[in-house]
């Protein structure tokens, strides 16, 4: 493999560390390169950086989201357990319309959103989504249902998969595998169809998708591959065309919640963080009673489906002063996301003070604890078999548990009854040869009894115990966060997301804070992110400063300096000593990055005929990285510069590349300096 490295400014050269297996692939990229390179043995693709140092340019006029004007913004809150959409017209930004009421629903569960469940026919064609999918699947005969592909709670796969790719697969309830990209695309296509139909009905004519700016919400703790995966699914679903990426914005869930909370009026929230009595309740009583009041308020307002928001800032925000800090804790079905923001007045712009944190501590953790309890009583072999042989009945059982889960409270004294499907009782007797009641008696699980009505009767302490591991994770994370110097003097803690409705979680947060911050829970807390995502789509520049979650950079060759560089990194070529594997840092972990701020680098093709420049990007959770070979540094993406059609007579062509790290996604732009022509630039985090 022959490559060339030309003269560089500042005596710095680009190289990319690759294994021998990788170098064969890169030979295609680097073909027609003739002159030997000092990095030849490393498989260097022959890309020369012309800019010697970390150049940052604060381009305040640059806004990645400027472009064609849109008539309406439609936001999709794609949740682990439930999903929905909302929209606002750009001429009426203060009116947020939530989706039409969904058909179906569960007792005691709000159905302003629909379950994130999808059903495919036996030949893998899309059949239905949400309540419709769940109800149809439930009504199928067991002998028939095992051929259908039913999926739920699949969003977490994007967070938990280490090497996420377009080929990542999901498991349906019957154990069959299906491509994740297809499932996510089907779901987004469903929401597109629903939203367009509603907008067309309102307009009295067919609504043009080109007039819509789409927003999709994702957890802030998601890595770049997961964000790109959602974007790829949106392209596949026909939500936006690939050649118009600006029509789609990826919104971070706690950021969206933060944006909406800026607009809150006092009657749109519950304040449970005060030490004094409020509304006639003590702080502890306030936990449960406040949520009941809020739900009644929401129920009375639900028919309109239109929420009016302040065109500037809400009453709560008027209490904030320049520099005041607050935390948003987004407690969803799959993840818990924490974001720390600071207010900038008079515009009310937001600055992120500490990188987004959290983990897989959502409410589905309680479902897993319930499943572990069932395994303890009936045996893991039976539960595994029952899920595969009677998948629809298993779904029924978890629906029954969900409604009782929502009834759990710190001061509850009466037991919670969970209905066992008949097929569970029947299948267990066939499987074990004795009854469910017998299993309960033999299990030594004292806090779960058998009811003659065919129910599991759990005492409140038993239900609360199922919550404990998940809530303990959240409280530990919050405790650690509040010990950070950037997270001092927090005025408010906003508790949002569906799990925030739990009185058990509310009380745990209250006990942990001990009055240090006021705890604010918006009414209709499950729609906070959705409504905030609409506001973000209307004004994506509202978050002015973010924190980088990782350190990003590329591998380069530097002139070897005795005493500074390790001897094992020295490479001698044509009498010149080079240091290999040097990590050229673009941005460091937890570094503040302003919206529109760019990192500038210049590269040159190894040969005038070269059509594509490919540069590997590395990342680390550490702030200070010296070499790409260090522990914890990994290759995470590729920067691809397509110089086709920008041929030049200049011997050493300079391709100037600008990378933006201050947005919800990392963006790249490039230009051929000699011709001023735009070069197609893209960053790929999925093909690793």
């Amino acid at each position: 493999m022959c490559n060339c490295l030309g003269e560089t400014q500042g005596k710095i050269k680009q190289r990319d560390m690759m294994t021998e297996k990788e170098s064969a692939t890169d030979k295609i990229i680097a073909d027609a390169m003739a002159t030997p390179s000092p990095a030849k043995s490393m498989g260097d693709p022959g890309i020369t950086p012309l800019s010697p140092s970390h150049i940052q340019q604060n381009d305040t006029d640059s806004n990645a989201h400027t472009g064609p004007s849109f008539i309406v913004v439609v936001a999709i809150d794609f949740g682990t357990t439930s999903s929905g959409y909302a929209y606002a017209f750009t001429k009426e930004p203060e009116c947020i319309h939530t989706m039409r009421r969904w058909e179906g629903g569960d007792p005691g569960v709000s159905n302003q959103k629909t379950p994130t469940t999808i059903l495919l026919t036996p030949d893998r064609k899309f059949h239905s989504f949400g309540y419709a999918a769940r109800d149809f699947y439930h009504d199928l005969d067991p002998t028939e249902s095992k051929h259908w592909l039913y999926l739920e709670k699949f969003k977490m796969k994007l967070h938990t998969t280490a090497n996420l790719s377009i080929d990542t697969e999901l498991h349906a309830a019957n154990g069959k595998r299906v491509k994740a990209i297809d499932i996510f695309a089907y779901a987004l296509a469903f929401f597109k169809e629903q939203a367009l139909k509603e907008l067309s009905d309102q307009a009295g004519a067919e609504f043009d998708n080109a007039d819509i700016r789409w927003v999709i919400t994702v957890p802030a703790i998601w890595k770049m591959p997961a964000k790109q995966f959602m974007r790829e699914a949106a392209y596949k679903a026909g939500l936006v065309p690939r050649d118009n990426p600006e029509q789609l914005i990826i919104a971070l869930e706690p950021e969206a919640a933060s944006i909406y909370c800026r607009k809150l009026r006092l009657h749109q929230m519950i304040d449970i963080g005060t030490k004094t009595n409020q509304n006639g309740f003590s702080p502890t009583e306030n936990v449960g009673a406040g949520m009941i009041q809020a739900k009644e308020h929401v129920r009375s307002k639900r028919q309109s489906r239109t929420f009016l928001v302040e065109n500037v800032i809400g009453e709560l925000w008027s209490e904030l002063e320049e520099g005041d800090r607050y935390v948003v804790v987004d407690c969803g079905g799959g993840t818990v996301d924490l974001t720390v923001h600071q207010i900038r007045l008079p515009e009310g712009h937001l600055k992120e003070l500490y990188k987004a944190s959290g983990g897989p501590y959502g409410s589905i953790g309680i479902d897993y604890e319930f499943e572990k309890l069932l395994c303890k009583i009936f045996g893991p072999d039976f539960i595994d078999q029952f899920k595969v042989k009677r998948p629809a009945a298993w779904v029924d059982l978890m629906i029954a548990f969900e409604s009782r889960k929502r009834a759990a409270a710190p001061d509850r004294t009466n037991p919670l009854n969970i209905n066992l499907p008949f097929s569970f009782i029947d299948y267990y007797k066939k499987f074990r040869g004795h009854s469910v009641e017998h299993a309960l008696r033999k299990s030594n699980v004292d806090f779960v009894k058998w009811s003659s009505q065919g129910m599991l009767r759990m005492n409140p302490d038993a239900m609360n115990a199922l919550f404990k591991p998940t809530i303990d994770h959240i409280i530990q994370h919050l405790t650690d966060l509040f010990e950070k110097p950037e997270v001092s003097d927090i005025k408010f803690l906003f508790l949002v997301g569906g799990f925030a409705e739990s009185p058990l979680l509310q009380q745990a947060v209250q006990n942990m804070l001990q009055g240090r911050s006021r705890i604010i829970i918006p009414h209709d807390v499950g729609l906070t992110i959705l409504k905030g995502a609409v506001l973000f789509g209307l004004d994506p520049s509202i978050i002015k400063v973010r924190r980088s979650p990782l350190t990003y950079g590329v591998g380069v060759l530097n002139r070897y300096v005795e005493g500074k560089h390790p001897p094992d990194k020295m490479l001698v070529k044509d009498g010149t000593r080079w240091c290999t594997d040097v990590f050229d840092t673009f941005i460091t972990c937890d570094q503040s990055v302003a919206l529109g701020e760019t990192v500038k680098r210049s590269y040159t093709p190894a040969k005038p005929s070269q059509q594509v420049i490919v540069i590997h990007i590395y990342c680390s959770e550490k702030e200070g990285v010296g070499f790409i070979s260090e522990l914890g540094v990994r290759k995470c993406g590729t920067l691809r510069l397509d110089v086709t059609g920008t041929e030049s007579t200049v011997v050493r062509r300079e391709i100037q590349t600008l990378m933006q790290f201050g947005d919800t996604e990392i963006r790249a732009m490039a230009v051929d300096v000699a011709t001023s022509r735009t070069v197609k630039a893209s960053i790929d985090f999925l093909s690793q």
Side-chain angles (χ1 to χ4, degrees):
M1 173 172 177
C2 295
N3 313 339
C4 77
L5 284 165
E7 293 293 316
T8 64
Q9 297 174 359
K11 299 176 183 177
I12 185 172
K13 294 196 175 185
Q14 170 76 33
R15 65 167 295 282
D16 252 293
M17 184 70 180
M18 291 179 294
T19 63
E20 289 302 323
K21 287 181 182 176
E22 287 174 308
S23 63
T25 308
D26 284 328
K27 187 168 173 64
I28 301 163
I29 298 164
D31 64 350
M33 300 179 184
T35 314
S37 156
K40 177 183 175 185
S41 62
M42 310 296 171
D44 169 54
I47 297 130
T48 309
L50 296 180
S51 50
S53 60
H54 187 94
I55 301 170
Q56 284 199 338
Q57 161 182 314
N58 197 0
D59 184 3
T60 50
D61 296 327
S62 161
N63 183 353
H65 299 295
T66 56
S69 56
F70 302 100
I71 294 173
V72 67
V73 169
V74 179
I76 299 171
D77 180 6
F78 198 121
T80 301
T81 52
S82 60
S83 300
Y85 68 89
Y87 59 94
F89 292 94
T90 52
K91 288 184 178 177
E92 292 181 310
E94 68 284 350
C95 292
I96 301 173
H97 308 271
T98 57
M99 56 275 160
R100 290 169 172 166
R101 190 175 174 86
W102 298 102
E103 295 299 321
D106 302 322
V109 180
S110 160
N111 67 337
Q112 281 188 288
K113 294 202 284 187
T114 194
T116 309
T117 53
I118 194 165
L119 183 64
L120 307 188
T121 63
D123 59 352
R124 296 172 179 259
K125 298 285 192 296
F126 174 79
H127 180 271
S128 48
F129 187 91
Y131 287 115
R134 210 184 64 188
D135 294 346
F136 187 92
Y137 186 60
H138 167 272
D139 292 339
L140 285 170
D141 184 88
T143 56
E144 204 181 342
S145 65
K146 64 184 180 185
H147 300 296
W148 289 65
L149 285 83
Y150 178 83
L151 295 100
E152 61 179 355
K153 299 169 186 168
F154 50 84
K155 179 185 171 186
M156 279 298 287
K157 185 78 172 181
L158 300 196
H159 180 68
T160 56
T161 303
N163 297 307
L164 186 68
S165 76
I166 292 294
D167 297 320
T168 295
E169 292 183 321
L170 302 170
H171 285 90
N174 61 1
K176 291 182 180 175
R177 296 191 301 184
V178 61
K179 272 197 168 186
I181 192 76
D182 293 337
I183 298 302
F184 281 85
Y186 281 143
L188 292 173
F190 167 79
F191 282 113
K192 176 191 174 187
E193 184 185 343
Q194 296 290 317
L196 276 172
K197 189 174 188 307
E198 185 168 342
L199 289 167
S200 298
D201 289 349
Q202 274 204 19
E206 192 170 337
F207 205 90
D208 188 353
N209 188 51
D211 292 330
I212 300 174
R213 162 168 274 166
W214 292 94
V215 182
I216 298 174
T217 66
V218 303
I221 57 170
W222 269 16
K223 303 263 190 305
M224 283 309 303
K227 293 177 187 175
Q228 186 183 331
F229 189 96
M230 286 300 277
R231 180 169 283 280
E232 291 296 328
Y235 292 148
K236 190 175 175 71
L239 210 66
V240 300
R242 193 178 288 274
D243 59 4
N244 188 18
E246 307 303 334
Q247 196 183 344
L248 169 66
I249 297 175
I250 300 295
L252 307 183
E253 289 163 1
E255 280 191 1
S258 178
I259 292 163
Y260 177 70
C261 288
R262 292 165 64 255
K263 305 283 189 176
L264 284 175
R265 297 180 68 88
L266 294 177
H267 71 269
Q268 294 172 319
M269 65 184 197
I270 311 148
D271 186 341
I272 65 166
T274 53
K275 282 192 167 181
T276 56
N277 283 11
Q278 183 179 342
N279 303 329
F281 298 104
S282 71
T284 311
E285 287 173 319
N286 212 25
V287 170
M291 281 313 295
I292 292 165
Q293 286 181 343
K295 286 177 179 176
E296 286 305 318
H297 173 82
V298 166
R299 222 167 265 130
S300 64
K301 299 285 183 188
R302 191 164 285 167
Q303 293 306 313
S304 68
R305 297 189 302 110
T306 300
F307 294 83
L308 296 175
V309 294
E310 300 292 289
N311 56 9
V312 271
I313 57 173
E315 291 167 301
L316 183 68
W317 231 243
S318 63
E319 297 180 35
L320 288 174
E321 297 171 358
E322 174 73 35
D324 274 352
R325 303 167 174 202
Y326 64 94
V327 171
V328 175
V329 184
D330 170 24
C331 306
T335 54
V336 168
D337 255 351
L338 295 92
T339 297
V340 186
H341 278 160
Q342 186 175 46
I343 186 77
R344 284 177 163 188
L345 296 175
E347 302 91 350
H349 290 150
L350 305 176
K351 175 184 179 181
E352 190 176 28
L353 287 181
Y354 185 75
K355 65 178 181 179
S357 62
Y361 319 135
S363 61
I364 59 171
I366 303 152
D367 300 350
Y368 295 143
E369 290 300 316
F370 178 61
E371 188 176 330
K372 278 159 67 176
L373 176 64
L374 292 176
C375 287
K376 189 175 179 181
I377 297 168
F378 303 108
D381 54 340
F382 167 72
I383 295 298
D384 290 344
Q385 190 75 357
F386 181 73
K387 285 164 73 175
V388 173
K389 296 294 185 183
R390 298 287 185 272
W394 174 256
V395 170
D396 284 350
L397 175 55
M398 294 311 292
I399 291 166
F401 173 70
E402 179 68 29
S403 65
R404 305 324 296 144
K405 182 172 85 175
R406 290 169 183 262
D411 52 355
R412 188 182 178 100
T413 54
N414 54 323
L416 296 122
N417 295 322
I418 298 159
N419 193 37
L420 277 183
F422 171 75
S423 62
F424 185 98
I425 299 165
D426 181 57
Y427 194 75
Y428 183 78
K429 189 155 190 175
K430 288 175 183 171
F431 190 87
R432 288 274 190 249
H434 57 248
S435 68
V436 162
E437 187 178 359
H438 180 265
L440 276 161
R441 277 202 310 270
K442 293 288 185 185
S443 68
N444 297 322
V445 179
D446 298 332
F447 41 78
V448 181
K449 304 293 182 190
W450 175 247
S451 156
S452 56
Q453 288 87 22
M455 295 180 180
L456 290 180
R457 179 166 287 178
M458 295 180 73
N459 72 31
D461 290 343
M463 178 62 86
N464 296 358
L466 299 181
F467 278 74
K468 191 176 186 308
T470 301
I471 289 179
D472 284 353
H473 274 303
I474 297 168
I475 297 304
Q476 185 59 56
H477 202 92
L478 262 177
T479 303
D480 294 345
L481 183 72
F482 270 72
E483 287 174 357
K484 307 284 183 192
E486 304 93 332
V487 194
S488 57
D489 303 318
I490 299 296
K491 196 157 191 173
F492 298 120
L493 182 143
F494 291 99
L495 208 51
V496 302
F499 193 16
E501 289 185 9
S502 165
L504 289 168
L505 176 60
Q506 291 171 16
Q507 187 184 67
V509 173
Q510 198 173 4
N511 291 342
M512 172 256 161
L513 283 175
Q514 292 292 306
R516 283 181 287 171
S517 305
R518 283 169 62 187
I519 303 169
I520 307 295
I521 306 174
H523 287 177
D524 224 0
V525 69
L527 293 178
T528 302
I529 291 156
L530 189 50
K531 291 183 275 190
V534 174
L535 295 172
F536 181 63
L538 291 165
D539 180 13
S541 65
I542 192 73
I543 311 280
K544 291 295 183 189
V545 179
R546 289 184 175 88
R547 294 272 180 159
S548 176
L550 295 168
T551 296
Y552 289 99
V554 294
V556 299
L557 283 173
N558 271 5
R559 284 289 180 118
Y560 187 84
V561 178
E562 200 78 49
K564 177 186 175 184
H565 295 136
D568 63 327
K569 296 289 183 190
M570 187 175 71
L571 175 75
V572 181
K573 186 69 180 175
D574 298 332
T576 304
R577 297 193 305 172
W578 300 95
C579 181
T580 64
D581 293 350
V582 176
F583 187 97
D584 176 26
T585 304
F586 290 162
I587 193 164
T588 58
C589 182
D590 204 33
Q591 180 182 329
S592 284
V593 201
L595 188 67
E597 191 172 321
T598 56
V599 174
K600 182 162 64 175
R601 291 288 187 276
S602 289
Y603 301 99
T604 184
K607 203 174 179 184
S609 61
Q610 188 178 352
Q611 302 295 300
V612 177
I613 299 174
V614 176
I615 302 151
H616 293 312
I617 298 173
Y618 296 84
C619 70
S620 173
E621 293 182 5
K622 296 188 296 182
E623 284 186 34
V625 180
F627 299 94
I628 62 171
S629 54
E630 285 177 19
L631 195 68
V633 178
R634 59 188 175 83
K635 190 173 78 174
C636 63
T638 51
L639 171 64
R640 181 184 170 92
L641 305 174
D642 187 344
V643 294
T644 312
T646 60
E647 285 76 9
S648 168
T649 53
V650 179
V651 178
R652 301 290 292 165
R653 292 164 66 198
E654 180 183 349
I655 309 299
Q656 192 178 86
T657 307
L658 296 175
M659 281 160 285
Q660 285 190 338
F661 290 89
D663 218 320
T664 59
E665 297 173 275
I666 298 172
R667 298 168 183 274
M669 297 152 284
V671 67
D672 187 323
V673 173
T675 63
S676 299
R677 286 184 184 170
T678 299
V679 171
K680 190 178 177 183
S682 60
I683 300 181
D684 182 14
F685 292 98
L686 276 176
S687 302
Q688 301 313 306

